Amino acid sequence: MGPSPSGTASAEQVEAAWQDNKLAQVLYHDWEAQTYDQKWSISFDERCTSIVRDRFLHVLTSSPAKGEAIPFGRTLELGAGTGFFSLNLKLAGLVDEVHVCDLSPGMVAAAEQNAQRLGFTIGGRVADAEALPHADDTFDLVVGHAVLHHVPDVEAALREVVRVLKPGGRFVIAGEPTTIGHWYARHLSRATWEAATRASRLPPLRRKWARDRAELDESSRAAALEAVVDLHTFDPRELAATARRAGADHVGTATEELLSAFVGWPVRTFEYAVAEDALGFGWASFAYRSWRRLMRVDAALGRVVPQRFFYNVGVTGTKPAA
C-alpha cells in the first residue's frame, strides 16, 4: 500500500524505503510536494514562465527538426512534480493540451491543483517512467525537467518516451545534473550550509538569523533522503548516446549554468539555512537579478567551454517518422 497524497507515511514504510528505491522516490516526493514550490521558489508568473520558455527553446534548438509547429499539441510531462515545466510552457504559449505523470501521488495532486488555480484542465496519472500507462503514438511532445536523474533505468525511460510519441514527435528534457556540475554544486552547498548555520548561531545574529533547531534537523534528514533518490549524474555525450540507443533521431544536448551555478547554489543554500523572515524582498530581487545576469554570461561561455563543465544538461530528440 502506498502513501497518501498528503505526504504521510508510516514508520514501516520509511524503513522499507531504504531497501526499495521506488518506494523511497514515492515517500520522498510525496513529502516534498507539500512545500516543493516554496522551497525552490517555483511560481507561475512571468519570472518562471520566462525561465522555462528560455530553457525549453535552448534545448529544443540544439537539434531542430523540419516541419515542427509551435505551439505543440498534446503534451506529456514526465516526472512532472508540481507542474513547473509544463504549466509554465502552457502559459508561455508553447504547448496546448497538457498531461502530467509522476511516480508520486502527492506530486500529481499538487500539479492538478496548480493547474486548477491557473484555470487549466490537465490529465494527471500516477505512473512509473519506465512503464508509462499510455498507448503508443499518443503525444506530440514529451517534456521533463530534472527527472531522469531519479529514474533507475534511464534508457528504459527514454524508450518509453519514444514509444508514446507520435511519429515525428519531439521530446525535450532539461535540468539534469552533469557529473562535474553535481560535484562542485554539492561542495559549494555543503560549505555554505556549514558557514551559514554556524554564523547564524553567534550571539549578535542569533535572534534574527538563526533557524529553529527542529527545522535544521528536518533539512538534514531531507538532504540524506536526497542522496537516496538522486541516482545519476550525466556526461552530455553519454546522455545523447543513451537517447540514440533508446531509438531517438535528431538527438541534441544543451547545457546551462556555469558561473551562475557557482553563485546560485551558495545563495539558494544560504536562504534555506537561515530563518525564513531574515531575508526580505530586496535580497530576493538582488539574488534573482544577479543569477539572470550570470546566465547571460554563461550563454556566451557556452560557445567556448565544453558542455561537461556546466551544471545543467538537457537532451532532445524525435521519434522516427513512419
Side-chain angles (χ1 to χ4, degrees):
M1 180 178 177
S4 72
S6 68
T8 58
S10 68
E12 292 79 9
Q13 286 175 319
V14 173
E15 182 66 26
W18 292 99
Q19 306 300 324
D20 182 343
N21 190 263
K22 291 291 176 79
L23 178 59
Q25 298 281 356
V26 172
L27 296 182
Y28 175 72
H29 288 100
D30 272 4
W31 171 69
E32 279 273 273
Q34 301 170 79
T35 57
Y36 191 80
D37 288 351
Q38 179 184 3
K39 176 181 177 180
W40 295 106
S41 299
I42 287 173
S43 61
F44 301 92
D45 53 24
E46 178 53 30
R47 178 180 66 88
C48 277
T49 298
S50 65
I51 291 171
V52 167
R53 179 180 57 243
D54 292 349
R55 184 160 288 178
F56 174 82
L57 293 174
H58 181 56
V59 179
L60 176 73
T61 56
S62 70
S63 178
K66 294 180 180 179
E68 287 185 317
I70 295 178
F72 288 88
R74 197 175 194 198
T75 299
L76 172 69
E77 183 174 10
L78 186 74
T82 62
F84 164 70
F85 209 54
S86 57
L87 296 182
N88 275 303
L89 285 174
K90 184 169 176 62
L91 289 172
L94 295 173
V95 303
D96 185 13
E97 179 184 339
V98 173
H99 296 256
V100 301
C101 67
D102 199 289
L103 194 62
S104 159
M107 287 294 191
V108 173
E112 291 174 331
Q113 290 163 10
N114 282 334
Q116 185 176 21
R117 282 193 290 269
L118 294 168
F120 300 156
T121 299
I122 66 171
R125 302 279 296 271
V126 176
D128 188 333
E130 298 168 10
L132 295 175
H134 304 92
D136 296 358
D137 308 333
T138 299
F139 297 100
D140 302 289
L141 175 71
V142 175
V143 299
H145 190 274
V147 56
L148 292 180
H149 70 286
H150 293 308
V151 178
D153 191 333
V154 174
E155 185 173 334
L158 289 174
R159 286 190 184 279
E160 282 292 275
V161 166
V162 172
R163 179 183 67 78
V164 302
L165 281 171
K166 297 176 183 178
R170 165 78 68 169
F171 65 86
V172 175
I173 299 175
E176 300 296 340
T178 66
T179 300
I180 293 175
H182 175 79
W183 180 86
Y184 60 67
R186 286 293 184 190
H187 281 76
L188 287 167
S189 295
R190 188 176 298 115
T192 303
W193 179 268
E194 290 295 328
T197 52
R198 289 180 182 180
S200 66
R201 291 196 295 269
L202 295 174
L205 303 176
R206 185 180 301 154
R207 178 172 296 181
K208 180 179 180 180
W209 292 90
R211 199 171 175 191
D212 182 79
R213 184 74 251 176
E215 292 179 356
L216 288 175
D217 291 343
E218 182 71 10
S219 296
S220 297
R221 285 193 291 272
L225 282 174
E226 279 184 329
V228 176
V229 300
D230 291 353
L231 300 176
H232 307 287
T233 59
F234 299 97
D235 175 273
R237 288 183 297 182
E238 292 175 1
L239 181 57
T242 301
R244 293 188 186 97
R245 289 195 303 271
D249 279 349
H250 302 105
V251 173
T253 57
T255 50
E256 287 186 307
E257 295 192 67
L258 182 59
L259 296 179
S260 54
F262 275 86
V263 172
W265 276 101
V267 165
R268 191 176 293 122
T269 304
F270 172 70
E271 291 170 345
Y272 208 58
V274 301
E276 186 176 349
D277 58 354
L279 305 171
F281 176 78
W283 165 267
S285 179
F286 163 76
Y288 175 68
R289 289 198 309 270
S290 299
W291 179 77
R292 290 293 278 179
R293 290 191 190 102
L294 289 172
M295 284 285 285
R296 288 193 286 271
V297 176
D298 288 342
L301 291 175
R303 292 191 286 268
V304 294
V305 177
Q307 286 190 337
R308 66 183 182 276
F309 292 107
F310 286 77
Y311 176 71
N312 275 330
V313 61
V315 63
T316 185
T318 63
K319 180 171 183 169

